[in-house]
């Protein structure tokens, strides 16, 4: 190819500094080329050698120099500058890469945010202002573009934290032949109009209160469940293992005032024994007593009712009061000695002789 067949990358940094690069190892594998440039026009061009080279494996692969005008001519020559290998004229203004936005401000109004930056002094109409944002629940950036240098967007959730970044873009083809954009300005983090250090710090005092209340409610709920389970367990245990009544409560006087001395207690509580005996007599015993009384009347013999309930041990000891306790209800299932006999106190609270 000819001298214009070499691909180069041309960047005009905010119309302040030029950077020209080329593929040195591919285009010129056997020599280290030299670079010259000029911003002059016509026959009065003054070529300037490159002072600041960019290197690729010790080979010259680019040059940095100051922007001095709207038009530019570049020349790539052999190592001693005697032979021109590449030549090109270009408009330096068509390769501008803008600087990042300066003095970026955010104005919040409910769910709407307006982002703006300082307006460049030259050719602001050639620039567009791009805003990108995302919450920590989004995977992709949302993008909005407006003319320089303000953009307005709405629909932000006040409960979410958002990341914001902005940049300037050069308009194509009106102002640039290449779609150059500035670097992104520093990323900022906002939540409902409040600037945060990062979206990891979006736990507000309100959310902390909600967390504390939730924990307290969970603890109370667990305590309630435990109480319900405890009550259920008490009912189950009572149904499986019923409580055995303690005889000292029905016969409190016997244990509190007579130290368990049954004879002494009986001597001082005749009316209580008689009432208790009548309350706890079995219907069969009453029927048997009535039948014997009728037989006694028919035979003309009258015997006291107490003799019906006597037993051998009581007759030998002439202890008529001992017979009166035959139908009392001790609360135990053990054998108790009484008047020379062993009395079995069963679960039905009756005395069995």
């Amino acid at each position: 190819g000819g001298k214009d067949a070499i691909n180069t990358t041309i960047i005009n940094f905010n119309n302040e500094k030029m950077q020209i690069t080329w593929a040195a190892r591919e285009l010129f594998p056997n020599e280290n080329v030299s670079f010259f440039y000029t911003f002059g026009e016509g026959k009065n061009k003054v070529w300037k050698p490159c002072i600041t080279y960019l290197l690729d494996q010790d080979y010259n692969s680019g040059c940095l120099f100051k922007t001095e005008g709207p038009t530019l001519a570049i020349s790539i020559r052999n190592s001693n500058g005697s032979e021109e290998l590449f030549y090109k004229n270009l408009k330096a203004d068509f390769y501008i890469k803008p600087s990042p936005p300066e003095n970026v401000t955010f104005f919040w109004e409910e769910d709407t945010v307006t982002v703006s930056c300082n307006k460049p002094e030259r050719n602001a109409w050639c620039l567009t202002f791009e805003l990108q944002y995302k919450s920590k629940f989004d995977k992709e950036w949302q993008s909005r573009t407006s003319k320089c240098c303000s953009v307005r967007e709405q629909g932000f959730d006040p409960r979410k934290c958002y990341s914001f970044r902005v940049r300037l873009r050069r308009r194509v083809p009106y102002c640039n032949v290449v779609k150059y954009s500035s670097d992104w300005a520093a990323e900022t983090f906002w939540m409902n109009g409040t600037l945060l250090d990062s979206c990891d710090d979006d736990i507000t005092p309100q959310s902390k209160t909600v967390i504390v209340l939730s924990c307290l409610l969970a603890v109370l709920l667990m305590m309630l469940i435990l109480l319900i389970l405890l009550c259920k367990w008490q009912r189950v245990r009572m149904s499986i293992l019923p409580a055995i009544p303690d005889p000292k409560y029905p016969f409190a006087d016997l244990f509190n005032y007579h130290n368990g001395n049954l004879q002494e207690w009986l001597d001082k509580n005749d009316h209580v024994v008689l009432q208790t005996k009548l309350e706890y007599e079995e219907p069969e015993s009453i029927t048997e007593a009535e039948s014997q009384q009728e037989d006694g009347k028919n035979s003309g013999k009258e015997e006291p009712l107490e003799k019906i309930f006597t037993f051998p041990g009581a007759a030998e000891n002439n202890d008529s009061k001992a017979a009166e306790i035959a139908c009392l209800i001790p609360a135990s299932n053990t054998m108790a000695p009484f008047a020379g006999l062993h009395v079995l106190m069963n679960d039905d609270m009756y005395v069995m002789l």
Side-chain angles (χ1 to χ4, degrees), residues 174-218:
Y174 309 102
C175 300
N176 259 35
V177 295
V178 182
K179 294 181 180 180
Y180 282 146
S181 301
S182 71
D183 296 332
W184 292 104
E187 188 174 347
T188 56
F189 307 92
W190 294 81
M191 180 178 179
N192 196 23
T194 302
L195 180 63
L196 303 176
D197 293 334
S198 70
C199 279
D200 296 332
D201 303 330
D202 61 347
I203 301 179
T204 61
Q206 181 179 2
S207 61
K208 291 182 179 179
T209 304
V210 172
I211 292 174
V212 172
L213 291 178
S214 301
C215 293
L216 290 177
L217 289 176

Side-chain angles (χ1 to χ4, degrees), residues 86-103:
F86 175 75
Y87 174 85
K88 186 174 184 178
N89 285 317
L90 54 94
K91 286 285 188 179
D93 291 346
F94 284 175
Y95 297 88
I96 293 178
K97 177 181 174 68
S99 297
E102 297 180 353
N103 194 22

Side-chain angles (χ1 to χ4, degrees), residues 323-340:
E324 294 178 356
I325 66 171
C327 294
L328 296 181
I329 306 176
S332 177
N333 286 325
T334 60
M335 297 295 294
F338 175 71

Side-chain angles (χ1 to χ4, degrees), residues 3 9 11 26 33 76 89 103 108 117 119 123 148 157 168 195 197 210 214 228 234 240 261 269 278 283 330 336:
K3 293 182 179 181
T9 300
I11 303 177
E26 297 177 4
V33 297
I76 298 178
N89 285 317
N103 194 22
W108 287 81
C117 69
K119 193 173 185 178
N123 298 327
C148 187
D157 190 339
L168 294 174
L195 180 63
D197 293 334
V210 172
S214 301
I228 294 174
Q234 290 290 345
I240 297 176
N261 191 330
N269 295 277
L278 293 178

Side-chain angles (χ1 to χ4, degrees), residues 69-139:
T71 61
L72 173 65
I74 60 175
S75 176
I76 298 178
R77 305 175 185 180
N78 58 5
S79 58
N80 57 17
S82 60
E83 181 183 358
E84 189 173 68
L85 304 176
F86 175 75
Y87 174 85
K88 186 174 184 178
N89 285 317
L90 54 94
K91 286 285 188 179
D93 291 346
F94 284 175
Y95 297 88
I96 293 178
K97 177 181 174 68
S99 297
E102 297 180 353
N103 194 22
V104 180
T105 58
F106 290 78
F107 176 74
W108 287 81
E109 186 178 4
E110 296 181 353
D111 66 338
T112 304
V113 62
T114 302
V115 186
S116 58
C117 69
N118 287 349
K119 193 173 185 178
E121 297 179 358
R122 297 178 53 190
N123 298 327
W125 67 274
C126 285
L127 299 172
T128 58
F129 190 58
E130 182 180 7
L131 168 68
Q132 287 191 348
Y133 63 91
K134 68 175 180 178
S135 71
K136 63 184 196 176
F137 304 103
D138 300 326
K139 295 182 179 179

